[in-house]
Amino acid sequence: MKNKRNICKALAVTEAAKGTSDKDKKIMNERAHFRTIEYIKGVFLSASITLEASIVLPLFIFFFVNIMTAFNIIKVQSDLEAALHQTGSDIAAIAYDLNAGKNLLNIDGETGASDVIASGGYTLYAAHRVRQYLGDSVNKSCVTDKAAGLSFLSSRIMSGNDYVDIVVDYKVHPLIPVIGFKEFKVQSRYFGHAWTGYDISGGTPSAKVGDEMVFVTEHGTVYHRDAGCSHLKIDVKSIPYNSLSSARNKDGSIYYPCEYCGSNVGGGNVFVTDYGNRYHSSVSCQGLKRKIYTIPISEVGGRSPCSTCG
């Protein structure tokens, strides 16, 4: 209305200018012309601002909504990892109880169809517990098909071993679908070991229940009943190479060159141990690194008992 009034004033001025001089008429006409141009500019400027707002505002809303979707995806992933960790810990404890029950009842735990059935039962239990931990929040998230969209088919739980491997596959989608970006796959996983202990026999068939466990070394010819036996401890000493001819170990044996590092020794100091029968040119030689194994006494073979702890 204001701009219309300005035009009316400009026209009125033009009409009023008829009774004035030519110079005054020219001045009044120029003023009216400038007012008309300003009005037209104001109209176009308002229209351009409206057009920009109509383009930018929807784009802003679109990107804002999708950023919120990204935060929702991260939240779902975090909640699911927490639920998997809690469920995996529950299954590990349940496996311990079942294993203790089998040992108490002297039930044979051989693998077979029973393990497959048990694994399926554990998987169903895991699916139920995870959905229970998530509650109704998963149904309000960006997960496709909500709680029903969580698939546990890739899980392998206690299937012939004591591993708890819970795998959840699902899809998420943006709140506003984009061409070529409707949904994508996501996977969450828990991997752990059931609380059933460690079989020190290595699962060998010859290991009998109640069989005494002894300690042997990789190249040793005796077995030890005490893990702290002095023969199992390596006490490395440095002696002159020239004294090897008279040097003896605790068993009275002479020292021979090490097959790894003793072939090219011609002087200086060498390294020996109290119960070994080799001398070494390097303290880091693999022959000085002793590997100790725990085996059933029924598997010692031709090894004789240690003179100290056997």
Side-chain angles (χ1 to χ4, degrees):
M1 294 296 294
K2 184 178 179 181
N3 289 327
K4 289 181 179 180
R5 286 197 297 268
N6 290 335
I7 293 176
C8 291
K9 288 180 180 179
L11 294 174
V13 171
T14 304
E15 291 293 331
K18 292 180 179 180
T20 60
S21 63
D22 293 339
K23 182 178 180 181
D24 292 336
K25 287 180 180 180
K26 185 177 180 180
I27 293 174
M28 295 177 69
N29 288 334
E30 287 178 353
R31 288 178 179 175
H33 177 69
F34 285 133
R35 290 192 183 112
T36 305
I37 293 176
E38 288 178 358
Y39 168 72
I40 295 173
K41 285 183 177 179
V43 172
F44 277 108
L45 183 60
S46 300
S48 64
I49 292 175
T50 304
L51 179 62
E52 290 175 358
S54 65
I55 296 175
V56 173
L57 185 59
L59 289 176
F60 173 77
I61 295 175
F62 171 79
F63 286 113
F64 180 78
V65 169
N66 280 281
I67 288 174
M68 296 302 296
T69 302
F71 282 118
N72 186 259
I73 293 173
I74 295 173
K75 181 181 183 302
V76 169
Q77 186 80 359
S78 300
D79 292 345
L80 191 54
E81 291 292 341
L84 285 174
H85 179 79
Q86 187 62 48
T87 302
S89 299
D90 291 345
I91 292 177
I94 293 172
Y96 167 79
D97 293 335
L98 292 178
N99 187 64
K102 285 183 179 180
N103 292 336
L104 183 64
L105 298 174
N106 197 24
I107 298 175
D108 189 7
E110 293 182 358
T111 60
S114 59
D115 288 323
V116 177
I117 297 173
S119 178
Y122 279 121
T123 302
L124 292 175
Y125 174 79
H128 169 71
R129 292 294 287 169
V130 168
R131 292 191 176 99
Q132 186 179 42
Y133 279 116
L134 293 176
D136 194 49
S137 63
V138 68
N139 295 323
K140 300 177 181 179
S141 67
C142 56
V143 176
T144 304
D145 297 331
K146 310 306 178 185
L150 302 177
S151 174
F152 294 79
L153 296 178
S154 300
S155 300
R156 297 292 182 270
I157 306 173
M158 304 293 289
S159 56
N161 51 44
D162 291 343
Y163 293 115
V164 180
D165 187 10
I166 310 174
V167 182
V168 183
D169 296 300
Y170 59 99
K171 294 180 180 180
V172 295
H173 59 82
L175 295 181
I176 301 178
V178 184
I179 298 176
F181 186 67
K182 295 182 178 180
E183 60 184 13
F184 57 92
K185 295 181 179 180
V186 184
Q187 184 182 89
S188 295
R189 188 171 194 170
Y190 170 88
F191 185 84
H193 193 280
W195 299 345
T196 54
Y198 175 69
D199 183 10
I200 59 177
S201 68
T204 53
S206 57
K208 300 177 181 179
V209 177
D211 204 358
E212 181 186 1
M213 307 305 293
V214 295
F215 307 94
V216 298
T217 59
E218 188 174 10
H219 303 292
T221 58
V222 299
Y223 64 86
H224 308 264
R225 285 189 165 90
D226 183 8
C229 178
S230 58
H231 289 268
L232 290 175
K233 297 179 179 179
I234 299 179
D235 185 14
V236 181
K237 298 185 297 184
S238 177
I239 62 174
Y241 174 77
N242 296 332
S243 65
L244 282 173
S245 58
S246 59
R248 297 292 185 273
N249 64 12
K250 293 286 186 178
D251 294 329
S253 301
I254 64 174
Y255 293 103
Y256 299 95
C258 170
E259 57 269 29
Y260 301 111
C261 66
S263 58
N264 297 321
V265 180
N269 281 14
V270 293
F271 301 95
V272 297
T273 59
D274 287 338
Y275 293 96
N277 59 1
R278 297 288 188 272
Y279 64 83
H280 310 265
S281 62
S282 173
V283 71
S284 60
C285 174
Q286 60 178 318
L288 287 173
K289 298 177 182 179
R290 179 166 295 177
K291 295 180 181 179
I292 302 174
Y293 300 94
T294 304
I295 63 172
I297 195 170
S298 58
E299 296 182 7
V300 296
R303 294 182 178 91
S304 57
C306 171
S307 58
T308 303
C309 66

